[in-house]
Amino acid sequence: MAFTVTSDSFKDGDYLGKDHILSENFGFGCAGGNKSPHLKWSGAPAGTESFALTCFDPDAPTGSGFWHWVVVNIPAGTTELPLDAGNPMSGKMPAGALMTRTELGNSGYLGPCPPPGTGVHHFIFTLYAIKVPKLKIPRGSSAVLVGFNLNGDAIAKATVTYTLTAP
């Protein structure tokens, strides 16, 4: 069985609904619900001890993309994250999982809000099967530090992508 990740919130390659767009509370001109989408996976390889999840926009006009969500130490028995699990106040993230910081410095899901005139953006959710129960990642770590640590401990990865066109 192949390692796959899917969503009830969107189909791979499809557009994302307003519930998942950045809320106006962040001050970037978007008015969505900032709810992380539902994600479900299956087919994790033998030896998986935990999971890590990232959401990355390679099309952001930064020269280095934009990290929207980074989660490590998701317990191995977990097979899905419910809608809004990325909200630190929701209590929906599995016990032991750690959401590290996004590009804005917050932990938790940060919905998309591409700047006007920047075209189509692709938001790539990547789920990693990890060979250790916990990555030694300090709270508040950057996505780059997480990625560095994933490099040696990931045994497989699966992706699902949604698109959004900037206004």
Side-chain angles (χ1 to χ4, degrees):
M1 174 186 272
F3 185 38
T4 60
V5 61
T6 60
S7 177
D8 289 345
S9 300
F10 63 94
K11 290 185 171 80
D12 192 25
D14 204 358
Y15 282 83
L16 194 65
K18 189 171 180 172
D19 269 355
H20 309 291
I21 306 300
L22 189 67
S23 70
E24 60 189 338
N25 298 346
F26 288 88
F28 286 92
C30 289
N34 202 52
K35 291 182 180 177
S36 59
H38 163 268
L39 296 170
K40 183 176 185 175
W41 54 92
S42 61
T48 299
E49 295 287 328
S50 65
F51 297 99
L53 172 71
T54 62
C55 177
F56 180 69
D57 173 7
D59 306 306
T62 63
S64 60
F66 195 97
W67 295 96
H68 287 268
W69 197 16
V70 183
V71 188
V72 297
N73 302 338
I74 301 169
T78 306
T79 57
E80 69 184 301
L81 294 177
L83 179 70
D84 206 28
N87 175 351
M89 305 304 288
S90 74
K92 295 180 178 181
M93 189 59 64
L98 173 65
M99 292 190 279
T100 69
R101 68 181 162 92
T102 68
E103 298 289 1
L104 294 185
N106 66 310
S107 65
Y109 176 77
L110 183 66
C113 184
T118 59
V120 176
H121 290 243
H122 300 86
F123 298 87
I124 305 166
F125 287 89
T126 304
L127 183 73
Y128 298 86
I130 307 298
K131 66 182 179 183
V132 295
K134 287 193 180 265
L135 293 174
K136 293 180 172 120
I137 303 291
R139 187 172 301 280
S141 294
S142 70
V144 171
L145 181 60
V146 170
F148 179 81
N149 281 275
L150 285 173
N151 190 40
D153 290 321
I155 54 177
K157 68 180 181 178
T159 63
V160 63
T161 302
Y162 66 83
T163 58
L164 185 65
T165 302

